[in-house]
Amino acid sequence: MSQGNHTTKTRRWKQINEKERYKIEALSQQGLTPAEIGKALEPKRDRRTIERELARGMTLQRNSDLTEKEIYLADVGQRIHEENASNKGRGLKIGRDHKLANHIQDKIKNEKWSPDVVLGRIKAEKLKFETSICTKTLYNYIDKGIFAEISNKDLWVKRDGKKRDYKKLRTVALNNKNGKSIVERPKEADGREEQGHWEIDLVVGKQGTKPVILTLVDRKSRKSLYVLAKNKTQKEVILAIKRARRRVGGNYEKVFKTITADNGSEFLDHAAIQKAAKCDEVYYAHPYSSWERGSNENGNRILRRFVPKGTDIGKLTHQELQQIEDWVNNYPRKLFGYQSANEIAA
């Protein structure tokens, strides 16, 4: 998994002070790595925090033999820190609200939340702080390095805001003439009017490896189910669907009403999928029309934060996958007024 466990214990974040900078200088001259320096400080500091501090105070030193060497100097780091603080201006509201700053850093660093979700959840839970800022301002603060413990590396990849230009190339799948088309799907599924209508897909791993993750996303609540499968054959997909059904428990007919899939060969046995999920019907999107399964596509994008392309899924344990699933289903979503899928599905 590329993301850390979101249950990491929190602590109060404080900027590096002048005394710490001189300790960093001494430890750096001893040849310690940033990670080792961070562990030697009290309180302990994150490796990336030390790396940023070293970069801030790095300067060229000329030796007696006229050779030059880059070294960290505490007074240089302190001077640049003070200059940056001065340039932030008196209007930096969050600089006076340490409680809010600590809350934001904790949620972004430890819980892996986006800046918008952090602020949206504050309003949804009616949390009280001395000040309030908007999402754009928070992104600007992070861009400028206002926070000591978070940077753009902690954020989701920013999009350019442009929507992909989709073009329908074919209205009928030549390899799936017997499956029911998505246009026949009931209005309850199309309109996201009730739970139980799912979209299904596979997330593949490192090239040359066979294990995959079967993903199921409920169209109304966006609740996700993840199941490991040995490979992407029809047989293994059916077994994975059965495991997903058993995990859910209860009245299967209420949990799985319909399933919408693409026209991949692994999903073409609609009768077997229907039997495995105990659902009413299986529907198929048009060829090259991934937007028709938008919930699944977006869900897979979120999953890729933890299982990036090139990951050997065969090394992923059931427990690790469950932790990812729990994070996804507990993640507040702007779409739902910053409630999570679990809260909507309850």
Side-chain angles (χ1 to χ4, degrees), residues 214-241:
L214 178 82
T215 67
L216 284 154
V217 180
D218 181 75
R219 282 179 56 76
K220 178 176 173 60
S221 68
R222 274 53 167 203
K223 187 177 179 70
S224 296
L225 294 174
Y226 300 145
V227 184
L228 291 172
K230 293 180 180 178
N231 53 56
K232 57 186 297 184
T233 61
Q234 286 186 6
K235 177 183 176 181
E236 291 300 327
V237 165
I238 296 303
L239 290 174
I241 293 173

Side-chain angles (χ1 to χ4, degrees), residues 63-80:
N63 301 318
S64 57
D65 60 356
L66 300 183
T67 60
E68 293 183 337
K69 179 182 178 181
E70 272 197 325
I71 62 170
Y72 172 82
L73 294 179
D75 55 347
V76 174
Q78 182 66 20
R79 175 175 55 79
I80 294 176

Side-chain angles (χ1 to χ4, degrees), residues 167-213:
K167 295 181 180 179
K168 265 187 192 176
L169 301 182
R170 191 180 297 125
T171 58
V172 178
L174 299 181
N175 65 333
N176 187 19
K177 296 179 180 180
N178 296 322
K180 283 196 173 183
S181 171
I182 193 172
V183 298
E184 302 177 68
R185 197 167 58 181
K187 65 181 183 65
E188 292 82 6
D190 272 343
R192 305 179 188 272
E193 297 175 9
E194 62 181 10
Q195 295 183 50
H197 301 284
W198 299 77
E199 297 175 10
I200 193 171
D201 200 8
L202 292 179
V203 169
V204 300
K206 183 179 180 180
Q207 187 174 4
T209 61
K210 294 183 178 181
V212 296
I213 300 173

Side-chain angles (χ1 to χ4, degrees), residues 51-227:
E51 288 176 343
R52 286 195 290 268
E53 178 58 36
L54 290 173
R56 180 185 291 117
M58 202 64 71
T59 186
L60 277 177
Q61 183 183 60
R62 180 168 293 179
N63 301 318
S64 57
D65 60 356
L66 300 183
T67 60
E68 293 183 337
K69 179 182 178 181
E70 272 197 325
I71 62 170
Y72 172 82
L73 294 179
D75 55 347
V76 174
Q78 182 66 20
R79 175 175 55 79
I80 294 176
H81 166 74
E82 292 172 354
E83 289 175 355
N84 290 341
S86 176
N87 290 335
K88 290 170 187 175
R90 298 178 62 183
L92 191 63
K93 294 194 299 181
I94 200 170
R96 299 191 297 270
D97 193 343
H98 298 296
K99 183 179 177 182
L100 176 58
N102 291 334
H103 179 80
I104 289 172
Q105 290 189 122
D106 169 43
K107 292 300 180 182
I108 292 178
K109 187 176 183 65
N110 294 329
E111 301 291 338
K112 311 303 178 188
W113 287 10
S114 73
D116 181 67
V117 164
V118 175
L119 299 181
R121 192 68 178 188
I122 287 174
K123 292 180 181 179
E125 295 181 358
K126 298 181 179 179
L127 301 180
K128 299 297 182 182
F129 295 96
E130 293 179 14
T131 58
S132 63
I133 58 175
C134 68
T135 299
K136 186 177 185 302
T137 297
L138 178 51
Y139 271 109
N140 289 339
Y141 283 175
I142 296 172
D143 279 337
K144 293 177 181 178
I146 301 297
F147 295 96
E149 298 295 335
I150 57 175
S151 68
N152 279 316
K153 292 181 180 179
D154 297 294
L155 306 183
W156 294 31
V157 176
K158 296 180 182 178
R159 290 184 164 186
D160 58 11
K162 296 179 181 178
K163 289 189 176 181
R164 180 177 168 184
D165 183 22
Y166 291 101
K167 295 181 180 179
K168 265 187 192 176
L169 301 182
R170 191 180 297 125
T171 58
V172 178
L174 299 181
N175 65 333
N176 187 19
K177 296 179 180 180
N178 296 322
K180 283 196 173 183
S181 171
I182 193 172
V183 298
E184 302 177 68
R185 197 167 58 181
K187 65 181 183 65
E188 292 82 6
D190 272 343
R192 305 179 188 272
E193 297 175 9
E194 62 181 10
Q195 295 183 50
H197 301 284
W198 299 77
E199 297 175 10
I200 193 171
D201 200 8
L202 292 179
V203 169
V204 300
K206 183 179 180 180
Q207 187 174 4
T209 61
K210 294 183 178 181
V212 296
I213 300 173
L214 178 82
T215 67
L216 284 154
V217 180
D218 181 75
R219 282 179 56 76
K220 178 176 173 60
S221 68
R222 274 53 167 203
K223 187 177 179 70
S224 296
L225 294 174
Y226 300 145
V227 184

Side-chain angles (χ1 to χ4, degrees), residues 255-290:
V255 175
F256 293 104
K257 296 173 183 176
T258 69
I259 291 178
T260 301
D262 61 23
N263 295 279
S265 60
E266 62 272 16
F267 296 125
L268 293 187
D269 193 343
H270 57 88
I273 293 177
Q274 186 177 349
K275 182 178 179 181
K278 294 188 181 295
C279 66
D280 297 332
E281 191 57 77
V282 178
Y283 298 95
Y284 294 90
H286 293 101
Y288 310 105
S289 305
S290 59

